[in-house]
Amino acid sequence: MPELSPISVAFLVFPNVTQLDLTGPAQVLSRLGNTTVDLLWKTKAPVPTDAGFSLLPTKTFADIESADILCVPGGFGTMDVIQDEEALGWVRKAGAEASWVTSVCTGSIVLGAAGLLKGYRATTHWASHEQLEFFGAAPVKQRVVSDRNRVTGGGVTAGIGFGLALAAKIRGEDHAKFIQLSIEYDPQPPFDSGSPAKADAVAPERYWGLMNKSAPGRAAKVKAIAKGLGF
Amino acid sequence: MPELSPISVAFLVFPNVTQLDLTGPAQVLSRLGNTTVDLLWKTKAPVPTDAGFSLLPTKTFADIESADILCVPGGFGTMDVIQDEEALGWVRKAGAEASWVTSVCTGSIVLGAAGLLKGYRATTHWASHEQLEFFGAAPVKQRVVSDRNRVTGGGVTAGIGFGLALAAKIRGEDHAKFIQLSIEYDPQPPFDSGSPAKADAVAPERYWGLMNKSAPGRAAKVKAIAKGLGF
């Protein structure tokens, strides 16, 4: 392997994160070569995820100011993060210094709340798409959206394609294709129900029902938080 | 949501696991409803993965004898697991009691070493495919292979489709499709290089080179271990 420039990746991790939003791109980006991957939170205590196990931060906000790649994953825990001045303050500062300011799923709502998507095109999980507008971003319905140094991925599993797209920008297409082969990313989903356009008509409604959330209620709350933050 | 029967899922976790082999299906299976997800190893100390961070076991081998679903992820750490009588012994016992004996990536080599794939069709990461034969399994080149209660997935990202296929067997296709929508699994990889057949001719060779491993050397070692285990 030719000598590669060092790349640091910092993922925000927080209670009730959708862990695959983080672990998917972490698998891809850890194969950039000459790379360090860190998981950041307030303390190094285990952080509970949405999937029954915890993730362990490798560093705290006090340990690290930024990284070449900042990546914010999503999940229902983002509602607390966008009301948490300590977390938002770290994201704001790290984002100002990072070469790449990125997110997967509703992590883009956190980037938005930190003021990092004002005037940028971006994407997020389909169920929260319109909320990007509350923070001055322009929502685009694509699995990966790049706008200058902002690269955002759609919901959960979109983080894998997001990681490959970012890998190509940083190390070239050839290296990204090699990572794709190494993780055997040749998807053949057993069903074709991965977007609201493909799922049956009641599916989005059922999604909110099963998650025990109200879509309009949630959007209104995020809007009010955005307003409180000065958007 | 109608009352669902409780389902327990036990993932083996071990040093140098390919973390997405575990975290991908864990995301899917945690949404089966009325489900517990556990990560099992010898102690509860953090277990280093291949991606720069550790995973935290939720239980130890002493805590839990089996689960409804046993799932063994893969990674280069499997070479140590198949030489570790304590780990193999737990997998053997848990597999004998589980309703579903499953793996992702080279996790099937561990199932094989535990004697759980003798006479079964199975799959694994493309780079280790032929090694399944050393343990009396019949390798099938598919992303997900089901044979009676054995369900095995291909390399790394195949664990997501594997999880959805298993979800459909357990909770029905409708529930599986809903999980697919919730994780927005509507893949659109930026490149088409996810299998050796699609990658360029030197890619498999390059894979082994960059991983600092020798394909024939590794296969010979696994074969010798299989022989030592009585296969």
Side-chain angles (χ1 to χ4, degrees), chain A residues 1 18-20 23 27 31 37 46 50-52 56 125-126 143 155-157 168 173-174 176-178 180-187 189 191 193-196 198 203 206-207 210, chain B residues 1 18-20 23 27 31 37 46 50-52 56 125-126 143 155-157 168 173-174 176-178 180-187 189 191 193-196 198 203 206-207 210:
Chain A
M1 184 137 83
T18 297
Q19 59 84 21
L20 187 54
T23 52
Q27 193 67 52
R31 297 189 176 182
V37 173
D50 70 333
L56 212 50
H125 191 283
W126 61 262
R143 240 171 126 72
V156 198
T157 55
E173 204 169 289
D174 199 46
K177 285 179 171 174
F178 166 74
Q180 184 179 9
L181 176 65
S182 79
I183 60 171
E184 212 169 322
Y185 193 45
D186 182 25
F191 314 106
S193 179
S195 78
K198 292 172 173 177
R206 202 176 149 207
Y207 170 82
L210 291 188
Chain B
M1 186 138 83
T18 296
Q19 59 83 21
L20 187 54
T23 52
Q27 193 66 53
R31 296 188 177 183
V37 173
D50 70 334
L56 211 52
H125 191 282
W126 60 263
R143 239 171 127 72
V156 198
T157 55
E173 204 169 290
D174 199 44
K177 284 180 172 175
F178 167 73
Q180 182 178 10
L181 176 65
S182 79
I183 59 170
E184 213 170 322
Y185 193 45
D186 182 26
F191 314 106
S193 178
S195 78
K198 291 173 174 179
R206 203 176 148 208
Y207 170 83
L210 291 187

Coordinates of all heavy atoms in Angstrom, one line a residue, chain A residues 1 18-20 23 27 31 37 46 50-52 56 125-126 143 155-157 168 173-174 176-178 180-187 189 191 193-196 198 203 206-207 210, chain B residues 1 18-20 23 27 31 37 46 50-52 56 125-126 143 155-157 168 173-174 176-178 180-187 189 191 193-196 198 203 206-207 210:
Chain A
M1 N 0.9 -1.2 0.0 CA 0.0 0.0 0.0 C 0.9 1.2 0.0 O 1.8 1.3 0.8 CB -0.9 0.0 1.2 CG -1.9 1.1 1.3 SD -3.6 0.6 1.8 CE -3.4 0.6 3.6
T18 N -29.0 5.6 17.1 CA -29.2 4.4 16.3 C -27.8 3.9 15.9 O -27.1 4.5 15.1 CB -30.0 4.8 15.0 OG1 -31.3 5.2 15.5 CG2 -30.2 3.6 14.1
Q19 N -27.4 2.8 16.6 CA -26.0 2.4 16.5 C -25.5 2.1 15.1 O -24.3 2.4 14.8 CB -25.7 1.3 17.5 CG -26.4 0.0 17.3 CD -25.8 -0.9 16.3 OE1 -24.7 -0.8 15.9 NE2 -26.7 -1.8 15.8
L20 N -26.3 1.6 14.2 CA -25.9 1.3 12.9 C -25.6 2.6 12.1 O -24.8 2.6 11.1 CB -26.9 0.4 12.1 CG -26.5 -0.1 10.8 CD1 -25.2 -0.9 10.8 CD2 -27.6 -1.0 10.2
T23 N -21.9 2.7 13.3 CA -21.1 1.5 13.1 C -20.9 1.2 11.6 O -19.9 0.6 11.2 CB -21.6 0.3 13.9 OG1 -23.0 0.1 13.6 CG2 -21.5 0.5 15.4
Q27 N -17.2 1.2 9.9 CA -16.5 0.1 9.3 C -15.9 0.5 8.0 O -14.7 0.1 7.7 CB -17.6 -1.0 9.0 CG -17.0 -2.3 8.6 CD -16.2 -2.9 9.8 OE1 -16.8 -3.1 10.8 NE2 -15.0 -3.3 9.6
R31 N -11.3 1.7 7.1 CA -10.4 1.1 6.0 C -9.9 2.1 5.0 O -9.5 1.7 3.9 CB -11.2 0.0 5.3 CG -11.6 -1.1 6.3 CD -12.2 -2.4 5.7 NE -12.3 -3.4 6.8 CZ -12.8 -4.6 6.6 NH1 -13.1 -5.0 5.4 NH2 -12.9 -5.5 7.6
V37 N -10.1 6.1 14.3 CA -11.5 6.3 14.5 C -11.8 6.6 16.0 O -11.3 5.8 16.8 CB -12.3 5.1 14.0 CG1 -13.8 5.2 14.4 CG2 -12.1 4.9 12.5
P46 N -20.0 3.9 29.4 CA -20.8 3.3 28.3 C -22.0 4.1 27.9 O -22.7 4.6 28.8 CB -21.2 2.0 28.8 CG -20.2 1.7 29.9 CD -19.8 3.0 30.5
D50 N -29.8 2.2 20.8 CA -31.2 1.8 20.6 C -31.3 0.3 20.4 O -32.4 -0.2 20.2 CB -31.8 2.5 19.4 CG -31.2 2.0 18.1 OD1 -30.0 1.6 18.1 OD2 -31.9 2.1 17.1
A51 N -30.2 -0.4 20.4 CA -30.2 -1.8 20.0 C -29.9 -2.8 21.1 O -29.5 -4.0 20.8 CB -29.3 -2.0 18.8
G52 N -30.0 -2.4 22.4 CA -29.8 -3.3 23.5 C -28.4 -3.5 24.0 O -28.2 -4.2 24.9
L56 N -18.8 2.4 23.7 CA -17.9 2.9 24.6 C -17.1 4.1 24.0 O -16.4 3.9 23.0 CB -16.9 1.8 24.9 CG -16.2 1.7 26.3 CD1 -17.3 1.8 27.4 CD2 -15.4 0.4 26.4
H125 N -32.9 11.0 7.5 CA -33.9 9.9 7.5 C -35.2 10.4 6.9 O -35.6 11.5 7.1 CB -34.2 9.4 8.9 CG -35.0 8.1 9.0 ND1 -36.3 8.0 8.8 CD2 -34.5 6.8 9.2 CE1 -36.7 6.8 9.0 NE2 -35.7 6.0 9.2
W126 N -35.9 9.5 6.0 CA -37.1 10.0 5.3 C -38.1 10.5 6.3 O -38.9 11.4 5.9 CB -37.7 8.8 4.5 CG -38.1 7.6 5.2 CD1 -37.4 6.4 5.4 CD2 -39.3 7.4 6.0 NE1 -38.1 5.5 6.2 CE2 -39.3 6.1 6.5 CE3 -40.5 8.2 6.2 CZ2 -40.3 5.6 7.3 CZ3 -41.5 7.6 7.0 CH2 -41.4 6.4 7.5
R143 N -29.9 9.5 -1.2 CA -29.3 8.7 -0.2 C -28.0 9.3 0.3 O -27.7 9.2 1.5 CB -29.0 7.3 -0.7 CG -29.7 6.3 0.1 CD -29.6 4.9 -0.5 NE -29.2 3.9 0.4 CZ -29.8 3.4 1.4 NH1 -31.1 3.8 1.7 NH2 -29.3 2.5 2.2
G155 N -31.3 7.7 5.9 CA -31.5 6.9 7.1 C -30.6 5.6 7.3 O -30.4 4.9 6.3
V156 N -30.2 5.4 8.5 CA -29.5 4.2 9.0 C -28.5 3.6 8.0 O -27.3 3.9 8.0 CB -30.5 3.2 9.5 CG1 -29.8 2.2 10.4 CG2 -31.6 3.9 10.4
T157 N -29.0 2.7 7.1 CA -28.2 1.9 6.3 C -27.5 2.7 5.2 O -26.6 2.3 4.5 CB -29.0 0.7 5.6 OG1 -30.1 1.3 4.9 CG2 -29.4 -0.3 6.6
A168 N -14.2 7.8 -1.5 CA -13.8 8.1 -2.9 C -13.3 9.5 -3.0 O -12.3 9.8 -3.7 CB -14.9 7.8 -3.9
E173 N -11.5 6.8 -6.2 CA -12.5 5.8 -6.4 C -12.0 4.3 -6.3 O -12.7 3.4 -5.8 CB -13.0 6.0 -7.8 CG -14.4 5.5 -8.0 CD -15.1 6.0 -9.3 OE1 -15.4 7.2 -9.5 OE2 -15.2 5.1 -10.2
D174 N -10.7 4.2 -6.7 CA -10.2 2.8 -6.7 C -10.1 2.3 -5.2 O -10.4 1.1 -5.0 CB -8.7 2.9 -7.3 CG -8.3 1.6 -7.7 OD1 -9.0 0.8 -8.4 OD2 -7.1 1.2 -7.4
A176 N -12.0 3.3 -2.7 CA -13.4 3.1 -2.3 C -13.9 1.8 -2.8 O -14.6 1.0 -2.0 CB -14.2 4.2 -2.7
K177 N -13.6 1.4 -4.0 CA -14.1 0.2 -4.6 C -13.5 -1.0 -3.9 O -14.1 -2.1 -3.7 CB -13.8 0.1 -6.1 CG -14.7 1.0 -7.0 CD -14.2 0.8 -8.4 CE -15.2 1.5 -9.4 NZ -14.6 1.5 -10.7
F178 N -12.3 -0.9 -3.5 CA -11.6 -1.9 -2.7 C -12.3 -2.1 -1.4 O -12.5 -3.3 -0.9 CB -10.1 -1.6 -2.6 CG -9.5 -2.5 -1.6 CD1 -9.3 -3.9 -1.8 CD2 -9.2 -2.1 -0.3 CE1 -8.8 -4.7 -0.9 CE2 -8.7 -2.9 0.7 CZ -8.5 -4.2 0.4
Q180 N -15.4 -1.5 -0.7 CA -16.6 -2.1 -1.0 C -16.5 -3.6 -1.2 O -17.3 -4.4 -0.7 CB -17.2 -1.5 -2.3 CG -18.6 -2.0 -2.6 CD -19.2 -1.4 -3.9 OE1 -18.6 -0.7 -4.6 NE2 -20.5 -1.7 -4.1
L181 N -15.5 -4.0 -1.9 CA -15.2 -5.5 -2.1 C -14.9 -6.1 -0.7 O -15.4 -7.2 -0.4 CB -14.1 -5.7 -3.0 CG -13.6 -7.1 -3.2 CD1 -14.7 -7.9 -3.9 CD2 -12.3 -7.2 -4.1
S182 N -14.1 -5.4 0.1 CA -13.7 -6.1 1.4 C -14.9 -6.2 2.3 O -14.9 -7.2 3.1 CB -12.6 -5.2 2.1 OG -13.2 -4.1 2.7
I183 N -15.9 -5.4 2.2 CA -17.1 -5.5 3.1 C -18.3 -6.2 2.3 O -19.4 -6.2 2.7 CB -17.6 -4.2 3.7 CG1 -17.9 -3.1 2.6 CG2 -16.5 -3.6 4.7 CD1 -18.6 -1.9 3.2
E184 N -17.9 -6.7 1.1 CA -18.9 -7.4 0.3 C -20.2 -6.7 0.1 O -21.3 -7.2 0.3 CB -19.1 -8.9 0.8 CG -19.4 -9.9 -0.3 CD -19.4 -11.3 0.2 OE1 -18.5 -11.7 1.1 OE2 -20.2 -12.1 -0.3
Y185 N -20.1 -5.4 -0.2 CA -21.3 -4.6 -0.3 C -21.9 -4.7 -1.7 O -21.8 -3.8 -2.6 CB -21.0 -3.1 0.0 CG -22.3 -2.3 0.2 CD1 -23.4 -2.8 1.0 CD2 -22.5 -1.0 -0.3 CE1 -24.5 -2.1 1.2 CE2 -23.6 -0.3 -0.1 CZ -24.7 -0.8 0.6 OH -25.8 -0.1 0.8
D186 N -22.6 -5.8 -1.9 CA -23.2 -6.2 -3.2 C -24.7 -6.5 -2.8 O -25.1 -7.6 -2.9 CB -22.5 -7.4 -3.7 CG -23.1 -7.9 -5.0 OD1 -23.6 -7.0 -5.8 OD2 -23.0 -9.1 -5.3
P187 N -25.4 -5.4 -2.4 CA -26.7 -5.6 -1.7 C -27.7 -6.3 -2.6 O -27.9 -6.0 -3.7 CB -27.1 -4.2 -1.3 CG -26.3 -3.3 -2.1 CD -25.0 -4.0 -2.4
P189 N -31.3 -7.0 -1.2 CA -32.3 -7.0 -0.1 C -33.4 -8.1 -0.4 O -33.8 -8.2 -1.6 CB -32.9 -5.6 -0.1 CG -32.0 -4.7 -0.8 CD -31.3 -5.6 -1.8
F191 N -36.4 -8.0 0.3 CA -37.7 -7.3 0.0 C -37.3 -5.9 -0.6 O -36.2 -5.5 -0.5 CB -38.6 -7.2 1.2 CG -38.7 -8.4 2.0 CD1 -38.0 -8.6 3.2 CD2 -39.4 -9.5 1.5 CE1 -38.0 -9.7 4.0 CE2 -39.4 -10.7 2.2 CZ -38.7 -10.8 3.5
S193 N -38.6 -2.7 0.2 CA -39.5 -1.9 1.0 C -38.8 -0.9 1.8 O -39.1 -0.5 2.9 CB -40.3 -2.9 2.0 OG -41.1 -2.2 2.8
G194 N -37.6 -0.4 1.2 CA -36.7 0.4 1.9 C -36.9 1.9 1.9 O -36.2 2.7 2.5
S195 N -38.0 2.3 1.2 CA -38.3 3.8 1.2 C -39.8 3.9 1.2 O -40.5 3.0 0.7 CB -37.7 4.5 -0.1 OG -38.5 4.2 -1.2
P196 N -40.3 5.0 1.7 CA -41.8 5.2 1.7 C -42.4 5.0 0.4 O -43.6 4.5 0.2 CB -42.0 6.6 2.3 CG -40.7 7.0 2.9 CD -39.6 6.2 2.2
K198 N -41.7 3.0 -1.9 CA -41.8 1.6 -2.2 C -42.6 0.8 -1.2 O -43.1 -0.3 -1.6 CB -40.4 1.0 -2.3 CG -39.5 1.5 -3.5 CD -38.1 1.0 -3.4 CE -37.3 1.5 -4.6 NZ -35.9 1.1 -4.5
A203 N -47.4 2.3 5.6 CA -46.2 2.0 6.3 C -45.6 3.2 7.1 O -45.3 3.1 8.2 CB -45.2 1.5 5.3
R206 N -47.5 3.7 10.2 CA -47.3 2.6 11.1 C -45.9 2.8 11.7 O -45.7 2.4 12.9 CB -47.2 1.3 10.2 CG -47.5 0.0 11.0 CD -47.6 -1.2 10.1 NE -47.1 -2.4 10.8 CZ -46.5 -3.4 10.3 NH1 -46.4 -3.5 9.0 NH2 -46.1 -4.4 11.0
Y207 N -44.9 3.3 11.0 CA -43.6 3.6 11.5 C -43.7 4.4 12.8 O -43.2 4.1 13.8 CB -42.7 4.3 10.5 CG -41.4 4.8 11.0 CD1 -40.3 4.0 11.1 CD2 -41.3 6.1 11.4 CE1 -39.1 4.5 11.6 CE2 -40.1 6.6 11.9 CZ -39.0 5.8 12.0 OH -37.9 6.3 12.5
L210 N -45.5 2.5 15.7 CA -44.7 1.5 16.4 C -43.5 2.1 17.2 O -43.1 1.6 18.2 CB -44.1 0.5 15.4 CG -45.2 -0.4 14.8 CD1 -44.5 -1.5 14.0 CD2 -46.1 -1.1 15.8
Chain B
M1 N -49.3 -2.4 18.2 CA -48.5 -3.7 17.9 C -49.2 -4.8 18.6 O -49.3 -4.8 19.8 CB -47.1 -3.5 18.2 CG -46.2 -4.7 17.8 SD -44.6 -4.2 17.1 CE -43.6 -4.0 18.5
T18 N -15.0 -8.2 13.1 CA -15.4 -7.2 12.2 C -16.8 -6.7 12.7 O -17.8 -7.3 12.6 CB -15.6 -7.8 10.8 OG1 -14.3 -8.2 10.3 CG2 -16.1 -6.7 9.8
Q19 N -16.7 -5.5 13.3 CA -17.8 -5.1 14.1 C -19.2 -4.9 13.4 O -20.2 -5.2 13.9 CB -17.5 -3.8 14.9 CG -17.1 -2.6 14.1 CD -18.3 -1.8 13.6 OE1 -19.4 -1.9 14.1 NE2 -18.1 -1.0 12.5
L20 N -19.1 -4.6 12.1 CA -20.4 -4.5 11.3 C -21.0 -5.8 11.1 O -22.3 -5.9 10.9 CB -20.1 -3.7 10.0 CG -21.3 -3.4 9.1 CD1 -22.3 -2.6 9.9 CD2 -20.9 -2.6 7.9
T23 N -23.0 -5.5 14.3 CA -23.9 -4.4 14.5 C -25.0 -4.2 13.5 O -26.0 -3.7 13.7 CB -23.0 -3.1 14.6 OG1 -22.2 -3.0 13.5 CG2 -22.2 -3.1 15.9
Q27 N -28.9 -4.4 14.6 CA -29.9 -3.3 14.4 C -31.2 -3.8 13.9 O -32.3 -3.4 14.4 CB -29.3 -2.3 13.3 CG -30.1 -1.0 13.3 CD -30.0 -0.2 14.6 OE1 -28.9 0.1 15.0 NE2 -31.1 0.2 15.2
R31 N -35.2 -4.9 16.3 CA -36.6 -4.4 16.0 C -37.6 -5.5 15.7 O -38.6 -5.3 15.1 CB -36.5 -3.4 14.8 CG -35.6 -2.2 15.2 CD -35.6 -1.1 14.2 NE -34.8 0.1 14.7 CZ -34.7 1.2 14.1 NH1 -35.2 1.5 12.9 NH2 -34.0 2.2 14.7
V37 N -31.3 -8.3 23.2 CA -30.1 -8.5 22.4 C -28.9 -8.5 23.4 O -28.8 -7.6 24.2 CB -29.8 -7.4 21.4 CG1 -28.5 -7.5 20.7 CG2 -30.9 -7.4 20.3
P46 N -14.2 -4.5 27.9 CA -14.3 -4.1 26.5 C -13.5 -5.0 25.6 O -12.4 -5.4 25.8 CB -13.7 -2.7 26.5 CG -13.8 -2.2 27.9 CD -13.7 -3.4 28.8
D50 N -12.2 -4.5 14.9 CA -11.3 -4.1 13.9 C -11.4 -2.7 13.4 O -10.7 -2.3 12.5 CB -11.6 -5.0 12.6 CG -12.9 -4.7 12.0 OD1 -13.8 -4.2 12.7 OD2 -13.0 -4.9 10.8
A51 N -12.3 -1.9 14.0 CA -12.6 -0.6 13.5 C -12.2 0.6 14.4 O -12.7 1.7 14.3 CB -14.1 -0.5 13.2
G52 N -11.3 0.3 15.4 CA -10.8 1.4 16.2 C -11.5 1.6 17.5 O -11.2 2.5 18.2
L56 N -18.8 -3.7 24.1 CA -18.9 -4.1 25.5 C -19.8 -5.3 25.7 O -21.0 -5.2 25.4 CB -19.5 -2.9 26.2 CG -19.2 -2.6 27.7 CD1 -17.7 -2.5 27.9 CD2 -19.8 -1.2 28.1
H125 N -17.9 -15.0 4.0 CA -17.2 -14.0 3.2 C -16.6 -14.7 2.0 O -16.0 -15.8 2.1 CB -16.1 -13.4 4.1 CG -15.5 -12.1 3.5 ND1 -14.6 -12.1 2.5 CD2 -15.7 -10.8 3.8 CE1 -14.2 -10.9 2.2 NE2 -14.9 -10.1 2.9
W126 N -16.6 -14.0 0.9 CA -16.1 -14.6 -0.4 C -14.7 -15.0 -0.3 O -14.3 -16.0 -0.9 CB -16.3 -13.6 -1.6 CG -15.5 -12.3 -1.4 CD1 -16.0 -11.1 -1.0 CD2 -14.1 -12.0 -1.7 NE1 -15.1 -10.1 -1.0 CE2 -13.9 -10.7 -1.4 CE3 -13.1 -12.8 -2.2 CZ2 -12.6 -10.1 -1.5 CZ3 -11.8 -12.2 -2.3 CH2 -11.6 -10.9 -2.0
R143 N -25.9 -14.7 -0.9 CA -25.7 -13.7 0.2 C -26.3 -14.2 1.5 O -25.8 -13.9 2.6 CB -26.3 -12.4 -0.2 CG -25.3 -11.2 -0.2 CD -25.8 -10.0 -0.8 NE -25.7 -8.9 0.1 CZ -24.5 -8.3 0.4 NH1 -23.4 -8.7 -0.1 NH2 -24.5 -7.2 1.2
G155 N -20.4 -11.9 3.4 CA -19.4 -11.0 4.1 C -20.1 -9.7 4.6 O -20.9 -9.1 3.9
V156 N -19.7 -9.3 5.8 CA -19.9 -8.0 6.4 C -21.3 -7.5 6.2 O -22.2 -7.7 7.0 CB -18.8 -7.0 6.1 CG1 -18.8 -5.9 7.1 CG2 -17.4 -7.7 6.1
T157 N -21.5 -6.7 5.1 CA -22.8 -6.0 4.9 C -23.9 -7.0 4.6 O -25.1 -6.6 4.7 CB -22.6 -5.0 3.7 OG1 -22.2 -5.7 2.6 CG2 -21.7 -3.9 4.1
A168 N -38.2 -12.2 8.7 CA -39.4 -12.7 8.0 C -39.7 -14.1 8.4 O -40.9 -14.4 8.6 CB -39.1 -12.6 6.5
E173 N -43.3 -11.7 6.8 CA -42.7 -10.8 5.8 C -43.1 -9.3 6.1 O -42.3 -8.4 5.8 CB -43.2 -11.3 4.4 CG -42.3 -10.8 3.3 CD -42.6 -11.5 2.0 OE1 -42.4 -12.7 1.9 OE2 -43.1 -10.8 1.1
D174 N -44.3 -9.2 6.5 CA -44.8 -7.8 6.7 C -44.0 -7.1 7.8 O -43.6 -5.9 7.6 CB -46.3 -7.9 7.2 CG -47.0 -6.6 7.0 OD1 -46.9 -6.0 5.9 OD2 -47.7 -6.2 7.9
A176 N -40.9 -7.8 8.6 CA -39.5 -7.6 8.1 C -39.5 -6.4 7.1 O -38.5 -5.6 7.2 CB -39.1 -8.9 7.3
K177 N -40.5 -6.3 6.3 CA -40.6 -5.1 5.4 C -40.6 -3.8 6.2 O -40.1 -2.8 5.8 CB -41.8 -5.2 4.5 CG -41.6 -6.2 3.4 CD -42.9 -6.3 2.6 CE -42.8 -7.1 1.3 NZ -44.0 -7.2 0.6
F178 N -41.4 -3.8 7.3 CA -41.4 -2.6 8.1 C -40.1 -2.3 8.7 O -39.7 -1.1 8.8 CB -42.5 -2.8 9.3 CG -42.3 -1.8 10.3 CD1 -42.8 -0.5 10.0 CD2 -41.7 -2.0 11.5 CE1 -42.6 0.5 10.9 CE2 -41.6 -1.0 12.4 CZ -42.0 0.2 12.1
Q180 N -37.3 -3.0 7.3 CA -36.5 -2.5 6.2 C -36.7 -1.0 6.0 O -35.8 -0.2 5.7 CB -36.8 -3.3 4.9 CG -36.0 -2.9 3.7 CD -36.3 -3.7 2.5 OE1 -37.2 -4.5 2.4 NE2 -35.5 -3.5 1.4
L181 N -38.0 -0.7 6.0 CA -38.4 0.8 5.9 C -37.8 1.6 7.0 O -37.3 2.7 6.7 CB -39.9 0.9 5.8 CG -40.4 2.3 5.8 CD1 -40.1 3.0 4.4 CD2 -42.0 2.4 5.9
S182 N -37.8 1.1 8.2 CA -37.4 1.9 9.4 C -35.9 2.1 9.3 O -35.4 3.2 9.7 CB -37.7 1.2 10.7 OG -36.9 0.1 11.0
I183 N -35.1 1.2 8.7 CA -33.7 1.4 8.5 C -33.3 1.9 7.1 O -32.2 1.9 6.7 CB -32.8 0.2 8.9 CG1 -33.2 -1.0 8.0 CG2 -33.0 -0.2 10.4 CD1 -32.3 -2.2 8.2
E184 N -34.3 2.3 6.4 CA -34.2 2.9 5.0 C -33.2 2.0 4.2 O -32.3 2.5 3.5 CB -33.7 4.3 5.1 CG -34.3 5.2 4.0 CD -34.0 6.7 4.2 OE1 -34.1 7.2 5.3 OE2 -33.7 7.4 3.1
Y185 N -33.5 0.7 4.2 CA -32.6 -0.2 3.4 C -33.0 -0.3 2.0 O -33.7 -1.2 1.5 CB -32.5 -1.6 4.1 CG -31.3 -2.4 3.5 CD1 -30.1 -1.8 3.3 CD2 -31.5 -3.7 3.2 CE1 -29.0 -2.6 2.8 CE2 -30.4 -4.5 2.7 CZ -29.2 -3.9 2.5 OH -28.2 -4.6 2.0
D186 N -32.7 0.8 1.2 CA -33.0 0.9 -0.2 C -31.7 1.2 -0.9 O -31.4 2.3 -1.4 CB -33.9 2.1 -0.3 CG -34.4 2.4 -1.7 OD1 -34.4 1.4 -2.5 OD2 -34.7 3.5 -2.1
P187 N -30.8 0.2 -0.9 CA -29.4 0.4 -1.2 C -29.1 0.9 -2.6 O -29.8 0.5 -3.6 CB -28.7 -0.9 -1.0 CG -29.8 -1.9 -0.9 CD -31.0 -1.2 -0.5
P189 N -25.5 1.6 -3.9 CA -24.1 1.8 -3.7 C -23.5 2.7 -4.8 O -24.0 2.6 -6.0 CB -23.5 0.3 -3.9 CG -24.7 -0.6 -3.8 CD -25.9 0.2 -4.2
F191 N -20.7 2.6 -6.2 CA -19.9 1.8 -7.1 C -20.5 0.4 -7.2 O -21.3 0.0 -6.3 CB -18.4 1.8 -6.8 CG -17.9 3.1 -6.4 CD1 -17.7 3.4 -5.1 CD2 -17.7 4.1 -7.4 CE1 -17.2 4.7 -4.7 CE2 -17.3 5.4 -7.0 CZ -17.1 5.7 -5.7
S193 N -18.8 -2.8 -7.0 CA -17.6 -3.5 -6.9 C -17.6 -4.4 -5.6 O -16.6 -4.7 -5.0 CB -16.5 -2.5 -6.7 OG -15.2 -3.1 -6.5
G194 N -18.9 -4.9 -5.3 CA -19.1 -5.6 -4.0 C -18.8 -7.1 -4.0 O -19.0 -7.7 -3.0
S195 N -18.5 -7.6 -5.1 CA -18.1 -9.1 -5.2 C -17.0 -9.3 -6.1 O -16.7 -8.5 -7.0 CB -19.4 -9.9 -5.6 OG -19.5 -9.8 -7.0
P196 N -16.2 -10.3 -5.9 CA -15.0 -10.6 -6.8 C -15.4 -10.6 -8.3 O -14.7 -10.2 -9.1 CB -14.5 -11.9 -6.3 CG -15.0 -12.1 -5.0 CD -16.4 -11.4 -4.9
K198 N -17.5 -8.8 -9.7 CA -17.8 -7.5 -10.3 C -16.5 -6.6 -10.1 O -16.4 -5.6 -10.9 CB -18.9 -6.9 -9.5 CG -20.3 -7.5 -9.8 CD -21.3 -7.0 -8.8 CE -22.7 -7.5 -9.2 NZ -23.8 -7.0 -8.3
A203 N -8.4 -7.5 -7.9 CA -8.9 -7.1 -6.6 C -8.8 -8.1 -5.5 O -8.3 -7.8 -4.4 CB -10.4 -6.6 -6.7
R206 N -5.3 -8.2 -4.3 CA -5.0 -7.0 -3.5 C -5.6 -7.0 -2.1 O -5.0 -6.5 -1.2 CB -5.6 -5.8 -4.4 CG -5.0 -4.5 -4.1 CD -5.6 -3.4 -5.0 NE -5.6 -2.1 -4.3 CZ -6.4 -1.1 -4.5 NH1 -7.4 -1.2 -5.4 NH2 -6.3 0.0 -3.8
Y207 N -6.8 -7.6 -2.0 CA -7.5 -7.7 -0.7 C -6.6 -8.4 0.3 O -6.3 -7.9 1.3 CB -8.8 -8.5 -0.9 CG -9.4 -8.9 0.4 CD1 -10.2 -8.0 1.1 CD2 -9.2 -10.2 1.0 CE1 -10.8 -8.4 2.3 CE2 -9.8 -10.5 2.2 CZ -10.6 -9.6 2.8 OH -11.2 -10.0 4.0
L210 N -3.4 -6.2 1.1 CA -3.6 -5.1 2.0 C -4.0 -5.6 3.4 O -3.7 -4.9 4.4 CB -4.7 -4.2 1.5 CG -4.4 -3.4 0.2 CD1 -5.5 -2.4 -0.1 CD2 -3.0 -2.7 0.3

